[in-house]
Amino acid sequence: MHLNVEKLLKELTVEEKAGLCSGEDEWFTKAVARLGLPAVMVSDGPHGLRTQKEKKDDRYVGSVEAVCFPSGAALASSFDRGLLERVGDDLGTEASSEGVHTLLGPAINIKRSPLCGRNFEYYSEDPYLAGELAVSYVKGVQKHGVGTSVKHFAGNNQETHRMSVSDEVDERTLREIYLAAFEKVVKEAGPWTLMCSYNRINGTYSSENTWLLSDVLRKEWKFGGIVMSDWGAVDDRVLSLEAGCELEMPSSHGSNDKKIVQAVKEGKLPISVLDEAVRRLLVWIDKGLGRKAETYDKDEHHQEAREIAASCAVLLKNEHKALPLESGDGVLFVGPFAVNPRYQGGGSSHINSHLVSGAVDACPDSVQYLPGIQDNCEKRSPKRLREAVAAAAKAKAVVVFVGLTEAMESEGYDRTGLGLPDCQNELVERISAVQRRTIVVLSSGSPVTMPWKDKVSAIIDMYLGGEAVGEATVDLLFGLANPCGKLAETFPLRLEDTPSFLSFPGGKRNVFYQEGVFVGYRWYDTRKMDVLFPFGHGLSYTAFTYRGLSVERKGNGADILFRIKNTGRRDGAEVAQLYVAPPVCSVPRPSKELKGFAKVFLKKGEEREVSVHLDARAFSYWDGGWKTERGTYRILVGSSSRDIRLSESLDIAGDPSVPLEVTNTTTVRDVLEGGEDFPAFKEMMDQVFRMIGDDPMTRETLLGCPLHSLQSFLAVTYEDVLHMLGR
């Protein structure tokens, strides 16, 4: 079945057209039975289906049983494009089997602050990484004839006042940080839809933002799909339709449909605007029609989730080769998360999981278990603590399971601090005091502080690893799998160090993005600040060496080659990260930025060449357009942003010089460093500098002098200067 879009447009009434621009209920669009136009279903599901089909008292209840894969924060730590496509592939199959037309995900907002309550869903603090992984995820889902709705476009970086707050942010910061991942996925993967965010951007709701939805998204990026609102994100329906938001979700119960019809009849909304919106909606609906429902085995997908969770885990610390454990003999597991794992986040992405595995159930029978604290993981139990400490002193090794509870991080509200519950920190401290081989397994959707970091032997971060996280944890602890994840975000030492500390979450109406482009490692590394764990960090049970870096310029881009060798005793995968460090530029820039990465699996002793291409965008910044300045850039290759193994210089010619625009603020330095050749003016200034000799104060004063002021110092008129400049 396929729709004749143009024929339908002619046959639909204005009322029916308006009706198609909002949902029938929470999950379905409206049908037009007389024309054979069916309703289609959308479903939450960035990391698993939250598909609701059963209604009670005219409201949806429960959700279908589905496989819960690792959440976005965990998936991003894989740094693995192929793995993200594999997850998308599985989700596309499951969505097809349930009759889902479009899956609401992935969520790729930037992690501006580690306190954002929804960070467990989001990929990274880095837009390049988030964009690359989103491209793979979208391709994986959509090859099944199931759409994706990439969200939340744009600037949904906090939960506090998320439905009304205005992000006050300059265009450069928007372009380089908060829009870049969306741009990449739109241009390279063609998602069927984008979901606009609740918040305002510089005073205008995203759903009504013509600059965002029409000028940038459609005209500049050539987006061909539809924009749907987040649930309840529409303020003025007519304005949002004009701006480019085709579908309001969920239902407005007819209210906004009537407003659209009234605006058309009164001539306030051109019928051509409504027709174009409906045309796009019909094309979107048609894409998911006529496909054959797929089938899948939930148990097989559970095993997929297990392998994926192991690939996402990050080994943060491993002193004296505390891991892997040789066997379960003499090993003690402590903490309720070992039995009932924290494996997914709270809110709209919460899955009715198929089969949840705890580490205790998945590990050898010889492993002992004690809770150590109360079952809610937030309160002390003196008796349980004494029992755990006594048993820990006699054990060969102790694995302590800690993490954030669902009450501490969820959609709808932000975290108030970076700490774990006090009872969990006390548990780790007391056990590490009596047991040298203490291993911590962390489960959370975002960074936490670790006051006991230097007192334990090993730390492995499982993030929110999905329903099979217990089995994956055991695989890693006992060496059945080799950890190969890397942090997709920085773990700061303290909240006060974070770039947005003074402006997060802002006031009731506004939040000012005062840190600009200096988000995440761009902030910490540029300021050379100590951190708990840097961006890109992650250890392995084997070791890797890098050598042979070569850099070949290709116009304003470059081809990068280097070699990686597995020098350890186990097979494993390494994530090689490529950063670009700019020269001194005319605008402040981060000391380095991630512009390439490759995950390479190597058998022990194996060596392989890695190739990464950098286009001109890798060297650019936004200044009314993407600009590349002339200069010597550094190409940095390493295992994290703080573990650079290879470096090489690269001279970039930059963009052609732009004719100097002379205004009342143009300075002598602007002319001399602008790239154009003004021989008469330069000769005059050379003579002046020779005359003043070694006098830095006078030299710098003259360099900063506006051209019109030279007559006060050099007896040369502004008109004379303009003549020298050919103006």
Side-chain angles (χ1 to χ4, degrees):
M1 172 185 179
H2 285 287
L3 303 178
N4 187 328
V5 172
E6 297 305 320
K7 183 173 183 291
L8 282 170
L9 270 175
K10 293 176 182 178
E11 296 176 342
L12 288 163
T13 66
V14 172
E15 289 76 12
E16 288 168 336
K17 290 176 181 178
L20 289 175
C21 294
S22 66
E24 175 68 28
D25 56 24
E26 289 95 326
W27 305 117
F28 282 87
T29 63
K30 293 187 183 75
V32 181
R34 72 178 187 87
L35 298 178
L37 180 64
V40 297
M41 178 171 57
V42 300
S43 173
D44 276 319
H47 53 270
L49 296 187
R50 191 176 77 90
T51 304
Q52 295 184 295
K53 294 183 175 180
E54 182 183 349
K55 277 189 171 183
K56 184 177 182 181
D57 297 327
D58 205 35
R59 293 190 64 85
Y60 287 100
V61 294
S63 56
V64 301
E65 182 184 288
V67 176
C68 181
F69 292 89
S71 69
L75 292 174
S77 297
S78 72
F79 273 73
D80 190 332
R81 298 174 181 87
L83 182 140
L84 266 291
E85 185 164 350
R86 179 179 169 191
V87 171
D89 196 356
D90 287 345
L91 292 176
T93 299
E94 297 188 19
S96 172
S97 75
E98 295 290 351
V100 173
H101 179 281
T102 293
L103 196 63
L104 305 180
I108 62 173
N109 293 105
I110 296 300
K111 299 182 180 185
R112 178 176 178 244
S113 167
L115 295 183
C116 176
R118 209 165 179 179
N119 275 355
F120 64 87
E121 272 189 78
Y122 300 155
Y123 283 172
S124 180
E125 66 189 24
D126 182 79
Y128 175 79
L129 176 61
E132 288 287 308
L133 298 180
V135 166
S136 296
Y137 176 106
V138 168
K139 287 180 177 178
V141 173
Q142 293 191 170
K143 66 185 178 184
H144 292 271
V146 174
T148 56
S149 188
V150 183
K151 58 187 186 181
H152 309 86
F153 190 62
N156 192 162
N157 310 116
Q158 63 187 64
E159 295 298 282
T160 304
H161 304 304
R162 66 170 173 161
M163 300 185 78
S164 59
V165 74
S166 177
D167 299 352
E168 306 299 333
V169 52
D170 63 88
E171 186 174 358
R172 181 189 171 199
T173 300
L174 279 171
R175 295 282 191 163
E176 293 188 25
I177 304 297
Y178 297 101
L179 300 185
F182 290 98
E183 179 183 4
K184 179 175 282 289
V185 73
V186 164
K187 289 182 175 180
E188 298 182 18
W192 291 9
T193 88
L194 258 62
M195 181 189 293
C196 65
S197 57
Y198 287 116
N199 52 279
R200 294 175 292 146
I201 298 176
N202 296 322
T204 303
Y205 278 109
S206 294
S207 63
E208 300 169 10
N209 199 312
T210 300
W211 174 81
L212 182 71
L213 301 184
S214 291
D215 296 345
V216 174
L217 180 61
R218 295 200 182 279
K219 295 176 184 177
E220 187 179 322
W221 297 352
K222 310 302 181 186
F223 176 62
I226 69 157
V227 173
M228 69 171 68
S229 74
D230 204 340
W231 269 229
V234 169
D235 179 44
D236 186 312
R237 185 63 187 110
V238 175
L239 286 179
S240 68
L241 196 64
E242 290 179 311
C245 179
E246 285 81 18
L247 180 61
E248 175 192 13
M249 288 298 290
S251 171
S252 67
H253 306 290
S255 174
N256 281 336
D257 302 351
K258 293 176 183 177
K259 291 177 181 178
I260 293 172
V261 173
Q262 182 180 0
V264 170
K265 290 183 176 179
E266 293 177 355
K268 296 178 180 178
L269 177 69
I271 187 64
S272 59
V273 172
L274 177 58
D275 281 350
E276 183 56 32
V278 174
R279 179 180 286 109
R280 290 169 177 160
L281 285 164
L282 293 174
V283 169
W284 166 65
I285 291 169
D286 185 61
K287 285 182 178 180
L289 300 181
R291 69 169 186 238
K292 184 179 179 181
E294 300 180 49
T295 60
Y296 74 102
D297 186 311
K298 287 188 176 69
D299 291 334
E300 288 182 3
H301 276 207
H302 178 86
Q303 290 304 312
E304 286 261 307
R306 174 179 184 170
E307 295 172 13
I308 290 166
S311 296
C312 297
V314 184
L315 182 61
L316 297 174
K317 178 180 179 180
N318 194 21
E319 284 188 351
H320 311 299
K321 297 183 179 179
L323 289 175
L325 300 169
E326 296 82 10
S327 70
D329 294 338
V331 174
L332 172 66
F333 282 8
V334 177
F337 284 148
V339 176
N340 297 305
R342 171 91 198 289
Y343 67 95
Q344 66 172 324
S348 61
S349 65
H350 201 278
I351 311 303
N352 176 18
S353 302
H354 165 58
L355 176 64
V356 180
S357 68
V360 169
D361 290 336
C363 69
D365 293 338
S366 54
V367 170
Q368 183 186 1
Y369 166 72
L370 290 170
I373 54 177
Q374 290 192 17
D375 292 343
N376 65 5
C377 296
E378 293 187 10
K379 293 185 179 180
R380 298 178 76 250
S381 170
K383 179 182 178 182
R384 288 182 171 186
L385 180 60
R386 288 193 299 271
E387 292 173 345
V389 171
K394 301 174 184 178
K396 283 186 179 180
V398 179
V399 182
V400 188
F401 291 75
V402 299
L404 298 176
T405 66
E406 187 166 311
M408 298 181 73
E409 57 174 354
S410 171
E411 179 182 356
Y413 51 89
D414 293 318
R415 295 167 62 193
T416 57
L418 295 181
L420 292 170
D422 290 341
C423 65
Q424 295 188 27
N425 284 328
E426 181 187 21
L427 181 64
V428 177
E429 295 271 6
R430 292 284 300 277
I431 286 178
S432 62
V434 300
Q435 172 56 245
R436 181 182 64 85
R437 199 176 185 183
T438 297
I439 297 145
V440 173
V441 172
L442 177 65
S443 296
S444 67
S446 50
V448 298
T449 51
M450 304 178 193
W452 33 259
K453 169 181 171 279
D454 296 332
K455 302 174 184 178
V456 301
S457 298
I459 307 168
I460 189 163
D461 192 350
M462 299 302 299
Y463 272 97
L464 301 183
E467 67 175 45
V469 68
E471 294 156 298
T473 301
V474 169
D475 290 342
L476 292 162
L477 290 173
F478 291 95
L480 300 177
N482 190 348
C484 57
K486 301 278 189 173
L487 291 180
E489 59 191 325
T490 307
F491 275 46
L493 285 170
R494 27 172 233 155
L495 181 60
E496 291 80 359
D497 293 341
T498 57
S500 60
F501 174 69
L502 294 176
S503 57
F504 182 95
K508 291 182 178 180
R509 292 186 57 80
N510 308 84
V511 54
F512 293 89
Y513 284 47
Q514 297 168 337
E515 69 282 356
V517 299
F518 294 91
V519 177
Y521 70 89
R522 289 167 168 79
W523 167 266
Y524 301 107
D525 289 4
T526 302
R527 300 190 68 213
K528 299 181 179 179
M529 297 175 66
D530 289 336
V531 296
L532 190 64
F533 295 106
F535 177 86
H537 171 73
L539 306 176
S540 172
Y541 295 155
T542 189
F544 303 93
T545 59
Y546 292 64
R547 71 177 182 89
L549 175 62
S550 69
V551 178
E552 182 180 358
R553 191 175 69 188
K554 297 286 187 179
N556 271 351
D559 287 334
I560 315 298
L561 294 174
F562 56 94
R563 302 188 71 83
I564 300 178
K565 184 175 183 178
N566 183 344
T567 58
R569 298 181 178 180
R570 290 175 176 263
D571 300 345
E574 169 68 340
V575 177
Q577 300 154 48
L578 194 155
Y579 298 85
V580 173
V584 176
C585 292
S586 59
V587 299
R589 298 185 68 178
S591 60
K592 59 178 171 294
E593 296 179 282
L594 183 75
K595 297 298 180 182
F597 64 90
K599 190 161 192 175
V600 185
F601 177 82
L602 298 169
K603 294 184 176 181
K604 58 182 180 181
E606 183 182 3
E607 185 177 39
R608 189 178 302 172
E609 185 175 69
V610 179
S611 174
V612 177
H613 175 71
L614 299 178
D615 59 16
R617 181 75 171 265
F619 302 92
S620 302
Y621 64 91
W622 181 266
D623 183 12
W626 292 104
K627 296 186 178 180
T628 303
E629 290 198 17
R630 176 181 58 190
T632 301
Y633 294 74
R634 298 289 294 173
I635 305 301
L636 311 174
V637 177
S639 190
S640 81
S641 74
R642 297 284 179 97
D643 183 8
I644 301 301
R645 308 287 183 89
L646 304 170
S647 67
E648 189 58 78
S649 298
L650 176 65
D651 292 328
I652 294 290
D655 297 327
S657 297
V658 177
L660 179 68
E661 180 183 359
V662 179
T663 70
N664 64 344
T665 61
T666 302
T667 66
V668 172
R669 178 179 277 108
D670 293 334
V671 176
L672 297 179
E673 297 181 358
E676 286 189 81
D677 189 19
F678 301 109
F681 182 83
K682 291 182 178 179
E683 175 59 27
M684 178 186 73
M685 294 309 303
D686 284 344
Q687 291 180 15
V688 171
F689 291 144
R690 285 195 295 270
M691 287 174 57
I692 65 176
D694 188 17
D695 183 353
M697 188 278 290
T698 302
R699 180 184 180 89
E700 289 301 314
T701 299
L702 286 172
L703 285 170
C705 183
L707 297 178
H708 66 82
S709 297
L710 284 179
Q711 59 189 3
S712 301
F713 299 98
L714 305 180
V716 57
T717 68
Y718 185 49
E719 289 70 23
D720 290 337
V721 172
L722 291 178
H723 181 71
M724 293 180 193
L725 302 181
R727 301 296 190 269

